[in-house]
Amino acid sequence: MKTYKVLTVCLGNICRSPAAQGILEKTAANHNVFLELDSAGTAAYHVGNPPDPRSIAALHQANIDISNQKARQVREEDFHYFDWIVAMDKANLMNLRKIQPKGSRAHVVMFGEFTDDVHFGEVDDPYYGGEEGFSAMREHLANISESFVLHLKTQQ
Ligand code: 4NP
């Protein structure tokens, strides 16, 4: 069975992309799809830090543990290594496209492209809001992950 390498990307790599990684891992296991996963940020503000405690708590409610992840910044090799690099919002996507080396292998797309759910494919940044934003993020990411994994299944 083919293994897909997928990198989830947001700005700080402490709220959305670590959550996306954790949810994708669970969704893929449910569908017997093999994924090698990592997450990264376009910015370096939080390099080395664990995910935001509010993201850890929101995922814990879905029995997903993301507390061992550590933030890192996207690097050039990622575009050669991963099959898919999925961005949480348009600014992330634009920043990724700016540094994407020509001829690299990764499909660089909006993660939200894989569902017609809310907000034109963007996963809203919950960082400056309250805890309800983190639950909404979890549910949105779960919908997208389901569609994304089903998309991968159609390619097998
Ligand atoms: P994330 O959220 O991109 O989903 O990890 C943010 C985390 C930190 C900041 C902004 C967004 N920040 O400005 O520090």
Side-chain angles (χ1 to χ4, degrees):
M1 186 76 86
K2 186 168 164 47
T3 297
Y4 297 94
K5 295 180 207 151
V6 182
L7 182 70
T8 62
V9 173
C10 61
L11 176 64
N13 192 209
I14 55 167
C15 297
R16 292 165 293 174
S17 58
Q21 178 183 339
I23 291 171
L24 263 178
E25 187 175 10
K26 182 174 177 177
T27 310
N30 287 343
H31 285 282
N32 295 316
V33 169
F34 294 96
L35 299 186
E36 181 181 325
L37 290 159
D38 197 5
S39 70
T42 56
Y45 316 131
H46 299 280
V47 167
N49 292 347
D52 187 291
R54 296 165 297 174
S55 252
I56 293 176
L59 274 281
H60 186 72
Q61 285 171 9
N63 289 318
I64 297 171
D65 182 7
I66 59 166
S67 60
N68 287 330
Q69 292 191 39
K70 277 212 175 12
R72 72 165 177 91
Q73 194 171 20
V74 178
R75 42 186 181 248
E76 196 174 316
E77 307 93 86
D78 291 327
F79 294 89
H80 297 293
Y81 185 76
F82 288 93
D83 301 304
W84 292 88
I85 298 182
V86 296
M88 297 299 127
D89 65 33
K90 286 180 189 144
N92 307 150
L93 184 68
M94 273 173 40
N95 286 325
L96 285 167
R97 290 214 192 286
K98 275 187 209 154
I99 58 169
Q100 178 177 15
K102 282 216 164 65
S104 50
R105 66 179 286 144
H107 301 288
V108 182
V109 297
M110 288 277 278
F111 194 34
E113 246 179 51
F114 293 91
T115 160
D116 352 315
D117 215 4
V118 294
H119 295 184
F120 310 105
E122 297 207 293
V123 179
D124 289 340
D125 184 352
Y127 185 66
Y128 293 105
E131 279 171 16
E132 65 290 346
F134 284 81
S135 318
M137 170 198 75
R138 182 192 62 224
E139 297 311 308
H140 192 189
L141 288 172
N143 282 337
I144 300 169
S145 294
E146 193 72 24
S147 304
F148 179 66
V149 168
L150 290 176
H151 174 77
L152 294 182
K153 267 186 133 168
T154 65
Q155 308 210 314
Q156 282 182 342

